[in-house]
Amino acid sequence: MAKTAQKVTPLMKQYNAIKGKYPDAMLLFRIGDFYETFGEDAIKAAQVLGITLTHRNNGGSKLELAGFPHHSVNTYLPKLVKAGFRVAICDQLEDPKLTKGIVKRGVTELITPGVSLNDEVLHSKTNNFLCSLHFGKTLIGISFLDVSTGEFLTAQGNQEYIDKLLQNFGPSEILVPKNKKQLFTDYFGADFHTFYLEDWVFKADYATETLNNHFKTQSLKGFGIEHLQEGIIASGAILYYLSETQHHKLEHITAINRIAENDYVWMDRFTVRNLELYGSQHAQAVTLLDVIDKTISPMGGRLMKRWLALPLKNATKIRERHQVVSYLLEDRIFFDKITNHLKQIGDLERLISKVATQKVSPREVIQLKNSLEAIIPIKSLTSACNNEALKVIGDNLQGCDLLREKIKATLNEDAPVNINKGNAIATGVHEALDEYRSLAFSGKDYLAKMLARETEATGITSLKIASNNVFGYYIEVRNTHKDKVPENWIRKQTLVNAERYITEELKEY
Amino acid sequence: MTKYIKSVQQNANGIAQLDCLCSFSELAKINNYVQPIIDGSYALDIKNGRHPVIEKQLPLGETYIANDVYLDRSTQQIIMITGPNMSGKSAILRQTALIVLLAQMGSFVPAESAKIGLVDKIFTRVGASDNISMGESTFMVEMNETASILNNVSDRSLILLDEIGRGTSTYDGISIAWAISEYLHEHPTKAKTLFATHYHELNDMTDSFKRIKNFNVSVKETKNNVLFLRKLVAGGSHHSFGIHVAKMAGMPQMVIRKANKILKRMEKSNATEDIKDNLDAVQNEMQLSIFNLDDPILTDIKDEILSTDIDTLTPIEALMKLNEIKRMLLGSKK
């Protein structure tokens, strides 16, 4: 290109620079109100999304171009992610009104099948796991992370065990060291969506440090995983990948847990597939999960799938669950009460994750509050019942009183999804805001009062107050009442059957 | 708000558990499940168990035929389920696994009663599960999958084998199925096994192995037709009714007639008896060989066996070795 002395526009220069950093991702490049894709990306995007492919005709270049308006990003983005693309969103980092020349742009988010907080991409009743594998000398370390719920798990074991875990958790994306590419396909097949990371990420020191930094701990002993060398390395690689994909707000990932191999019934890949527990090669097949899942909340749905994938081996724990079930069967009134309250509860895990990643909308915060409110009666019901296991669950539920109070006081009950729509913050929170609001909304009251007053004073029954762009607010008088107009009104416009006046008071308003 | 992340997550977890348990109780109520008894024994005793998924798929008016399954390590370790195609052998196998699974998840189970000694591993294998896209032959896949069971089995395992050996010729199939069953019977873990097969030759195993029991899925034979009763009863079965099934599937009359003729002729020539004799012969020859070592071929076999390092041998290799030895013997007869 350079040889033919083709001029590269500053915009394309910027595009190329950013694209250079994310060569394997589809770059959505914000230009004005549109997200645009160029070149190869455009061809693929046009195909997947069914949008028009055009050419950018700047400076004689014939670069392919396809784009969509920024507000429809929520409809298009999931399609791209589901099609298996890694999508980098490049936004304008400055206000174009305030800068001269080209606006600074940068990638604000990299969305991959395994890392996504978007409701459109996620299924509420399944976890969306990102997985990472580390091939140690004898054992393989594995780590699972669901960014949308904050669950972080690790384990290590031989090939068969890892194979089983992959089958159990069904990750949407697997991170594999570049040099183990072949080994991975040999062991686990080519059916998974994989991404290859540099080898240096998979180092023990680096991983331990990354994990300790994230959890702000001195050692990983508290999580009971410090002996899982290979698992730690895999977990470190996952955190590295998250920071690579511009996910820096990860406070909802509060702990890392060990998948205890010996606690659960072993079922290998073939068995899980044969029994059609939660997935089947046949599209129409009814799986066991379809039949037994009667859960109400999304968290319940996800846990049900986990329980099905990992049945217990501990007789005491199993019996405990049976006792609760039989208690719930006997006391139907209690059961009905609980389920009624459960219906009020939204996806707590994903809501709080959105809070942590600062992607929460005002309406979602209200949902969070309402969900937490529904927990209060559940807590008192379960704590008061005479089943030990239920009591423990009840006792562990938190009231979160302060949080609820705070949200209640701060936000309007019918807060909008988009904060720009306004009316999110409740009255009485911020003085200046209240004043602006009263000006904005009480204006009409004020005009109505004035209209009533003038009507009474002049005796003109058909007075109207309206505004136009030329001289703002005015009073309109029908010709029949023209003679009753007071002297201090200033005539501005004469129509066929009416005259428009302004007053000092309106002018000020 | 970030201060509350932990407590909200804790709440989410509690609610999720409560939700699942409520779901179990709702499920138990709607579908009439019962509370299983979990204990530390090795026995599995299911009375009138049902398949949780199939029972929901039945057309209106039809009821699921419930079945009893009893397995333990001392008297009834391996059940050979024979029965015609389509009679519901696979359903019985799977429902047993699903009932155990549901019980150990903490749910109630679709049965009249269930007593379950804890199970720590569940293995299921289905013969000839096609995997053409992977480029492996079905039989190879089948053997691969089976080998991994034999290497991982434990005393609390539940093993379900569905038509293992189907992916090869009849004689090979029977031989492999026989050898695998024998291996599981003799294995110190004495793992509980359900083996569904349509090789009724395997019924003869009960003569030599005391913890193997024969069951069959009953059918009612009318003149030219069969009625599937789907009830598991003790005892072996003698026909596969494959031709009946072919007829029900709408195969042209000519094909059915021809098939019936061939079957008659083969039954007359006692092909099945031959196989049985052959198998018995294999058993006998193995026993004899220990006493009769004058035969040069038997000496060869003895050396072969002695030079085999059993510790490094996979079950499949063992089978292949067995085949090799058999070939040596057959060669000697010519």
Side-chain angles (χ1 to χ4, degrees):
Chain A
M1 272 221 304
K3 267 188 198 161
T4 55
Q6 232 177 32
K7 246 195 177 170
V8 177
T9 60
L11 181 82
M12 285 319 290
K13 224 185 254 171
Q14 193 184 30
Y15 174 84
N16 290 335
I18 297 175
K19 179 74 186 167
K21 279 192 220 160
Y22 300 93
D24 44 13
M26 177 171 287
L27 189 61
L28 297 183
F29 199 66
R30 178 78 178 257
I31 301 175
D33 281 341
F34 275 78
Y35 280 112
E36 303 284 11
T37 54
F38 297 104
E40 276 293 298
D41 285 359
I43 298 171
K44 282 188 242 162
Q47 229 167 39
V48 173
L49 302 176
I51 52 178
T52 321
L53 183 68
T54 61
H55 294 279
R56 191 177 176 81
N57 225 339
N58 254 352
S61 77
K62 271 262 178 195
L63 191 63
E64 292 87 350
L65 167 98
F68 51 82
H70 73 98
H71 54 78
S72 19
V73 69
N74 278 343
T75 28
Y76 287 119
L77 186 62
K79 290 187 192 164
L80 287 173
V81 178
K82 277 180 196 158
F85 289 110
R86 303 156 52 73
V87 183
I89 297 184
C90 177
D91 272 314
Q92 303 180 155
L93 301 178
E94 296 171 309
D95 190 338
K97 280 177 199 148
L98 303 177
T99 47
K100 278 185 201 165
I102 194 158
V103 196
K104 231 189 229 166
R105 291 184 171 89
V107 170
T108 49
E109 206 179 344
L110 186 63
I111 298 157
T112 74
V115 187
S116 174
L117 287 161
N118 190 313
D119 286 332
E120 308 288 326
V121 179
L122 301 169
H123 295 284
S124 64
K125 284 210 164 184
T126 38
N127 276 108
N128 188 44
F129 278 115
L130 170 69
C131 168
S132 137
L133 286 181
H134 168 69
F135 294 85
K137 277 202 190 83
T138 50
L139 296 174
I140 305 172
I142 193 165
S143 169
F144 291 98
L145 176 71
D146 186 342
V147 193
S148 66
T149 63
E151 279 165 285
F152 196 6
L153 305 160
T154 187
Q156 65 183 39
N158 59 14
Q159 184 205 334
E160 271 169 342
Y161 181 54
I162 299 299
D163 192 25
K164 166 195 180 274
L165 286 178
L166 286 177
Q167 201 70 24
N168 285 161
F169 286 91
S172 343
E173 189 177 5
I174 303 179
L175 309 173
V176 182
K178 253 187 188 147
N179 54 353
K180 297 294 193 310
K181 212 170 177 171
Q182 191 53 46
L183 197 63
F184 176 80
T185 15
D186 287 351
Y187 278 8
F188 307 115
D191 294 343
F192 291 105
H193 186 95
T194 47
F195 183 73
Y196 303 104
L197 284 181
E198 297 293 337
D199 314 339
W200 65 264
V201 180
F202 295 87
K203 289 277 177 295
D205 303 349
Y206 175 76
T208 317
E209 195 188 314
T210 316
L211 288 172
N212 275 328
N213 278 344
H214 174 83
F215 294 117
K216 301 191 177 60
T217 47
Q218 292 301 315
S219 87
L220 298 170
K221 275 200 181 110
F223 301 112
I225 58 161
E226 82 283 357
H227 59 286
L228 299 173
Q229 264 311 317
E230 321 295 351
I232 288 174
I233 294 173
S235 312
I238 277 201
L239 285 184
Y240 164 82
Y241 184 69
L242 284 185
S243 73
E244 271 301 279
T245 50
Q246 307 292 329
H247 293 81
H248 300 294
K249 299 271 182 229
L250 298 169
E251 284 157 57
H252 61 298
I253 303 171
T254 48
I256 180 163
N257 289 310
R258 187 166 58 94
I259 305 168
E261 182 175 358
N262 297 327
D263 288 2
Y264 305 111
V265 174
W266 167 282
M267 286 182 290
D268 55 20
R269 181 151 60 106
F270 313 109
T271 304
V272 172
R273 222 192 290 147
N274 281 338
L275 292 177
E276 300 192 331
L277 298 183
Y278 38 72
S280 165
Q281 292 114 314
H282 313 293
Q284 286 124 31
V286 180
T287 63
L288 181 65
L289 186 66
D290 295 336
V291 172
I292 64 165
D293 186 5
K294 307 270 180 224
T295 54
I296 297 161
S297 68
M299 297 85 75
R302 290 194 292 266
L303 187 68
M304 179 63 83
K305 197 174 170 196
R306 183 81 50 84
W307 279 7
L308 180 57
L310 303 169
L312 297 173
K313 269 191 338 200
N314 180 324
T316 330
K317 275 192 196 156
I318 297 171
R319 275 188 223 118
E320 206 174 271
R321 285 188 191 171
H322 287 157
Q323 277 151 16
V324 176
V325 177
S326 93
Y327 181 84
L328 289 169
L329 262 177
E330 276 158 30
D331 194 342
R332 290 314 275 182
I333 302 163
F334 177 80
F335 171 83
D336 287 340
K337 275 187 195 155
I338 294 277
T339 44
N340 267 334
H341 291 301
L342 281 177
K343 282 178 195 147
Q344 318 289 320
I345 298 179
D347 197 336
L348 282 174
E349 278 177 304
R350 284 194 174 148
L351 286 173
I352 200 70
S353 301
K354 283 189 178 166
V355 170
T357 50
Q358 302 185 344
K359 286 193 174 155
V360 71
S361 77
R363 182 172 295 167
E364 284 166 337
V365 176
I366 292 293
Q367 275 172 12
L368 178 65
K369 185 210 71 178
N370 291 342
S371 304
L372 289 172
E373 262 169 10
I375 290 179
I376 304 298
I378 294 182
K379 183 175 166 63
S380 54
L381 276 170
T382 45
S383 305
C385 78
N386 50 33
N387 178 291
E388 274 313 308
L390 273 178
K391 255 186 199 162
V392 172
I393 294 179
D395 290 343
N396 282 330
L397 290 175
Q398 308 280 316
C400 296
D401 297 333
L402 276 169
L403 178 63
R404 284 184 299 120
E405 287 302 316
K406 185 94 197 213
I407 296 174
K408 215 175 191 169
T410 316
L411 286 183
N412 252 333
E413 191 60 37
D414 48 0
V417 177
N418 189 333
I419 196 154
N420 295 334
K421 290 254 160 74
N423 218 11
I425 309 291
T427 41
V429 176
H430 196 274
E431 246 176 67
L433 179 70
D434 286 351
E435 198 184 319
Y436 295 142
R437 266 202 197 140
S438 76
L439 281 177
F441 291 107
S442 60
K444 283 205 184 97
D445 287 356
Y446 183 77
L447 285 178
K449 263 183 220 154
M450 184 157 75
L451 184 66
R453 195 186 66 215
E454 294 295 332
T455 313
E456 206 171 302
T458 57
I460 308 173
T461 47
S462 58
L463 272 187
K464 265 192 217 161
I465 293 185
S467 73
N468 68 12
N469 290 334
V470 187
F471 46 85
Y473 282 99
Y474 56 83
I475 305 179
E476 193 176 292
V477 184
R478 313 281 297 180
N479 282 349
T480 39
H481 299 291
K482 221 156 67 179
D483 47 327
K484 292 182 197 161
V485 169
E487 271 175 26
N488 57 346
W489 290 15
I490 307 150
R491 206 183 69 216
K492 273 285 180 188
Q493 198 180 20
T494 307
L495 307 179
V496 183
N497 53 4
E499 287 196 324
R500 289 173 175 174
Y501 298 87
I502 60 166
T503 66
E504 280 305 309
E505 202 184 350
L506 273 179
K507 227 179 182 174
E508 273 172 35
Y509 178 76
Chain B
M1 275 174 85
T2 43
K3 270 190 295 183
Y4 291 94
I5 290 175
K6 254 202 172 130
S7 17
V8 173
Q9 283 178 342
Q10 195 182 333
N11 277 353
N13 185 277
I15 292 300
Q17 284 186 36
L18 197 59
D19 195 2
C20 283
L21 294 166
C22 284
S23 164
F24 283 152
S25 94
E26 184 68 12
L27 178 75
K29 184 158 181 277
I30 300 175
N31 295 342
N32 207 5
Y33 287 7
V34 298
Q35 179 166 0
I37 301 162
I38 301 282
D39 56 28
S41 75
Y42 289 93
L44 177 65
D45 189 5
I46 299 170
K47 291 270 185 307
N48 278 328
R50 311 180 307 266
H51 191 298
V53 179
I54 296 178
E55 97 176 313
K56 301 303 284 179
Q57 308 296 315
L58 288 176
L60 234 73
E62 237 177 271
T63 47
Y64 190 83
I65 306 296
N67 275 308
D68 298 349
V69 168
Y70 179 84
L71 284 170
D72 65 21
R73 289 180 70 210
S74 49
T75 58
Q76 191 159 304
Q77 182 211 344
I78 298 176
I79 294 184
M80 285 283 168
I81 304 176
T82 45
N85 301 318
M86 252 180 76
S87 61
K89 296 191 296 278
S90 306
I92 292 171
L93 250 56
R94 296 214 166 91
Q95 87 186 27
T96 309
L98 293 180
I99 287 172
V100 170
L101 201 71
L102 281 172
Q104 297 200 193
M105 273 173 80
S107 168
F108 283 14
V109 296
E112 199 182 279
S113 77
K115 229 175 117 250
I116 296 165
L118 272 183
V119 167
D120 67 352
K121 291 179 182 185
I122 300 177
F123 295 101
T124 321
R125 290 298 178 269
V126 175
S129 54
D130 282 308
N131 205 344
I132 299 159
S133 58
M134 292 270 288
E136 288 177 56
S137 99
T138 49
F139 185 64
M140 183 63 194
V141 173
E142 194 181 319
M143 287 300 110
N144 259 338
E145 295 182 358
T146 312
S148 93
I149 298 189
L150 303 183
N151 290 328
N152 283 305
V153 66
S154 73
D155 59 351
R156 289 198 175 277
S157 296
L158 176 63
I159 304 173
L160 309 172
L161 301 172
D162 193 352
E163 302 275 14
I164 284 298
R166 184 166 63 177
T168 182
S169 75
T170 312
Y171 291 174
D172 274 2
I174 293 174
S175 319
I176 287 173
W178 184 292
I180 290 172
S181 314
E182 184 177 334
Y183 179 87
L184 287 171
H185 186 268
E186 300 300 314
H187 199 277
T189 54
K190 295 184 191 157
K192 298 182 281 292
T193 307
L194 285 174
F195 200 139
T197 177
H198 64 259
Y199 296 136
H200 33 84
E201 291 79 4
L202 292 178
N203 283 336
D204 301 333
M205 290 192 76
T206 42
D207 303 340
S208 341
F209 306 101
K210 63 176 174 25
R211 288 188 306 279
I212 297 184
K213 293 281 156 24
N214 287 331
F215 279 81
N216 73 85
V217 186
S218 59
V219 287
K220 202 170 170 184
E221 255 179 292
T222 56
K223 238 190 205 164
N224 269 319
N225 223 333
V226 280
L227 201 67
F228 296 118
L229 299 177
R230 302 186 195 285
K231 192 80 188 164
L232 192 64
V233 293
S237 75
H238 300 287
H239 304 284
S240 286
F241 299 98
I243 296 172
H244 291 96
V245 176
K247 194 172 152 199
M248 286 165 79
M251 201 78 92
Q253 275 299 324
M254 272 188 48
V255 179
I256 303 288
R257 269 202 299 271
K258 183 73 185 171
N260 261 323
K261 252 185 221 161
I262 296 173
L263 181 71
K264 287 242 171 68
R265 194 160 24 154
M266 286 177 85
E267 274 177 350
K268 227 177 261 169
S269 75
N270 261 339
T272 51
E273 282 300 310
D274 287 349
I275 298 168
K276 203 159 93 183
D277 289 346
N278 283 343
L279 282 168
D280 288 345
V282 173
Q283 283 297 114
N284 291 337
E285 276 173 42
M286 294 293 274
Q287 277 159 16
L288 281 176
S289 62
I290 299 163
F291 307 105
N292 262 340
L293 282 178
D294 314 329
D295 193 323
I297 292 164
L298 290 179
T299 338
D300 282 355
I301 291 171
K302 182 193 163 200
D303 294 344
E304 185 73 39
I305 291 172
L306 287 177
S307 66
T308 312
D309 184 0
I310 307 254
D311 291 337
T312 62
L313 215 54
T314 68
I316 293 304
E317 281 169 352
L319 283 173
M320 279 152 61
K321 189 116 274 173
L322 185 66
N323 197 28
E324 222 172 85
I325 294 169
K326 189 174 164 189
R327 221 178 293 135
M328 287 165 91
L329 284 163
L330 287 175
S332 76
K333 276 181 187 167
K334 281 175 199 167

